Amino acid sequence: MKFVKVHTAKDLTISVILIAVGIALFFVNKGLGVTIAVCGIFLLLFYKSGYRCEGSGIVLSKKAFDVARSCRQPLLDFLEGKEAEPEISAPAEGGVIRIEVYFSKDAEIAYVQLYDFSDYTYQKATEIVELKGDKARKLIAKL
């Protein structure tokens, strides 16, 4: 499964507003107007804060963070489909694991992958797991 960066509605709105403000300011102060319009164009070309799974039309958000190692087994059980409650708590002593979640609250879908921290690098603990419906909603609520 591969995720590509895409524009969100928020990205496009900010870019268009900056371009419009730049054009309006051009008539007041040419240098400032051109600078702001160019910034808006660069944002439009390069800034993409959303993600899309190849083959899907749903725009996803991404969250990635470290959690306490004690949450590893409950998260693994939850991802395997067992009746377990996912636990997500701040890291403390005893190590960390990393969780990456691509999700959409509206579509009630989430893609999750866990990593173990070992030898100063993150190593895959699971492949990307797709969650839909209630399971996705339950995990998204914990983020």
Side-chain angles (χ1 to χ4, degrees), residues 50 58 65 129:
I58 301 169
F65 49 91
V129 178

Side-chain angles (χ1 to χ4, degrees), residues 131-142:
L131 302 174
K132 292 183 178 182
D134 289 337
K135 289 190 76 85
R137 193 176 325 115
K138 189 182 287 189
L139 183 66
I140 293 168
K142 298 280 184 169

Side-chain angles (χ1 to χ4, degrees), residues 1-3 51-64 78-79 99-105 107-115 126-133 135-137 139-140 143:
M1 210 171 288
K2 187 174 178 188
F3 296 94
Y51 294 86
R52 181 174 290 142
C53 182
E54 286 185 340
S56 171
I58 301 169
V59 177
L60 306 165
S61 299
K62 178 184 178 184
K63 280 199 176 184
F78 179 76
L79 295 177
I99 181 170
E100 287 187 1
V101 183
Y102 297 89
F103 65 94
S104 171
K105 288 182 182 178
E108 294 183 347
I109 191 165
Y111 299 93
V112 185
Q113 188 167 21
L114 297 180
Y115 295 88
T126 66
E127 293 301 317
I128 296 174
V129 178
E130 181 179 0
L131 302 174
K132 292 183 178 182
K135 289 190 76 85
R137 193 176 325 115
L139 183 66
I140 293 168
L143 302 178

